[in-house]
Amino acid sequence: MDKDIAIEFKNVNKVYTLFRDDKQRLRSVFFKRVRDRATKIKALNNINFQVHKGEAVALLGRNGAGKSTLLKMITGVAYPTSGEINVDGRVSALLELTAGFDPEFTGRENIYFRGQLMGMKEEDVARLEPAIVEFAEIGEYMDQPVRTYSSGMKARLGFAINVNVEPEILIVDEALSVGDASFRKKCTEKVNELIMGSNITFMLVTHSAKTAQLFCQRGIVMKKGRMIFDSDINSAVEYYNEMIESEDAARKERRRKKRAQKLADARAAAGKEQNLYLKLGNTKLELKAEDYKGKTYELIDALNAKVCYGYTYETAEPVDGATVEVDADGLDGFDPRHVRAGVYKLWFVGKKDDMTSAPHCVDMTVYGKQEDLDE
Amino acid sequence: MIETIKEIAHDHVAFRKQLFKLAKTDIIKKYRGAAFGWAWAVIRPAVTIFVYWFAFSVGLRHNRDMYGYPFFLWLIAGIIPWFYMRDSLVDGAKSIRSYKYLVKRIKYPVDTIPTFISISDLLINMILQLVVVVIFMLAGHMPDLYYLQIPVYLVMMFAFFTVWGLFAGMLSAMSKDFLHLVQSVVPALFWLSGIMYDANSISQPIIRKVLLFNPVTIIANGYRNIFIYKQWFWESSVEMRNYFIMLALIFVLAIWAYRKLKKDIPDVL
């Protein structure tokens, strides 16, 4: 490896194997067959890249694109399934905010503990301790067990340790959004100072394009375990934003099509005697064809909506043959034979002499299939 | 295989200082927070010993002397090392699971976790062994040359159960089922090993031979060789041979488990 290179990935793949349960996982240790049958998820797909010493790189990508897996591998807490990873320099990593504390130890003990695990001498840790304590701003809690900390305090202590142990490679995963505004500002300043002041290699995972542009010169965009773009930060951010936009639009379109399809399916089935599936707020209701066959179904009873006296409904879109029937005792009936799939607005109205319950409106969705209801 | 052994050896040498720190902190963690703190390290085994002594001496009237020593002395000579073996059987299996953050959050050699857990259990047990020596002295049995063997059996015991810890710790990290299995087998192991009886005096040859392959029996007998039977370890050559066979076996299993599961463990924990 070139002396100038801090991080190098060569043909790195990572496959997660998912088992149905714990038992299967234990069996997979002994039987290859069980392992072969399990679900495989490719988290990283043929990753190749190099990061030079002193470079600041931002990783952009949606959730599940493989960013965190990649960072874990640089840190050395996860291994690639195949391929080669070379890392040159002391890595200090902030992964998933609460960064590896022993919950039984106090904050101060954890500082020493972590220092030792990183191979530092006790006097070195003692030298850095005041700076860490001051930076973390957790006051009296410094000498309390970490298990009593709030998640914000843990993250602050984690951040304080990691930026103050004089790292050569600093890895930050979403951690710049820790705590309140003033602490965030302090973190940002400290990271900036580290990047500007020394020859530190910096890798940042973030969803915020602004943060990325603030710290990094280079940006890598990941999608579904692949690196799809690697260039200067501004074009990377631009590329990422465009990707997100087009993906969102495509997703919206897919969802719209799916709903249209469902409606069409239900229309085709309408007029026949069919089961109906209703959703009112969180209440799910199934109307069986044999139950309402030939009679007017009393929805109020079915929904157990005793506070309401009656209701009317208006359709969000005009539906053929939808009628409101009024029973002799004042309850509105509901004839499922004439109702088709779609979204309805259902108005609940109080009794005439009861002024306390104001009319209110509920969306009622009618489906033609049970699967749609359960979705 | 050789590569894996080299790697494990290298990790232990590189992290030797941290190992003892971690063992120390593991002990502190175990006993801190309780009002009696350190006293529990002695109270718990004392209660267990009392229960067995009561059941056998008073209840079952097993009052006759064992090889010229009171039953109580014979009992503690074998049961004290059992406390280490029991703890390290279970703690070893739990080790990697209970130090998740060392696996998932920090770059730390996983293979050394069972080692410092075992060291922590051993340090506690060494205090208990010292108490045994004092009790023997109070009963009028002064230390003699045979006591020089204590380090021999201590090392044998530590070696086997530390390697076990690596094997069981890796498997338990993969699946909690294995941990449950270990936890339910350990109490049975107590009665199936020659701790409450002398395995050498079992009349059926097959059962005796099988029992003498059990490392728990071998170690318990070893400690009784020191305190009661007054024998040198080379005089029980069958047990020594069996011990090394079992050690080799568990060693191969541990290396196999470590090599096979090392990459998976951070993903599944």
Side-chain angles (χ1 to χ4, degrees), chain B residues 1-40:
Chain B
M1 182 97 185
I2 302 289
E3 282 301 304
T4 314
I5 297 172
K6 263 190 204 159
E7 182 192 326
I8 294 176
H10 172 263
D11 286 345
H12 279 80
V13 173
F15 280 78
R16 60 192 182 281
K17 276 187 197 145
Q18 282 95 325
L19 274 185
F20 285 97
K21 287 247 165 63
L22 282 161
K24 207 176 93 188
T25 51
D26 186 66
I27 298 177
I28 292 171
K29 245 165 42 179
K30 223 181 263 174
Y31 293 101
R32 184 165 65 179
F36 285 102
W38 291 95
W40 288 113

Side-chain angles (χ1 to χ4, degrees), chain A residues 19 21-31 35, chain B residues 89-98 110-111 114 162-182 249-250 252-265 268-269:
Chain A
F19 296 98
D21 50 29
D22 230 31
K23 208 172 99 195
Q24 294 292 325
R25 197 186 303 136
L26 183 62
R27 290 186 56 202
S28 79
V29 178
F30 304 100
F31 307 107
R35 202 180 180 82
Chain B
L89 279 169
V90 176
D91 293 348
K94 276 192 212 158
S95 56
I96 293 172
R97 235 169 216 286
S98 56
V110 172
D111 49 323
T162 306
V163 179
W164 154 266
L166 180 57
F167 168 70
M170 293 306 274
L171 277 185
S172 304
M174 280 304 277
S175 167
K176 235 181 177 160
D177 284 334
F178 187 80
L179 180 59
H180 290 310
L181 181 73
V182 173
L249 193 71
I250 195 71
V252 171
L253 283 174
I255 301 294
W256 167 79
Y258 178 68
R259 194 173 60 165
K260 191 172 171 83
L261 303 177
K262 178 190 158 194
K263 284 185 175 183
D264 290 336
I265 279 181
V268 298
L269 260 186

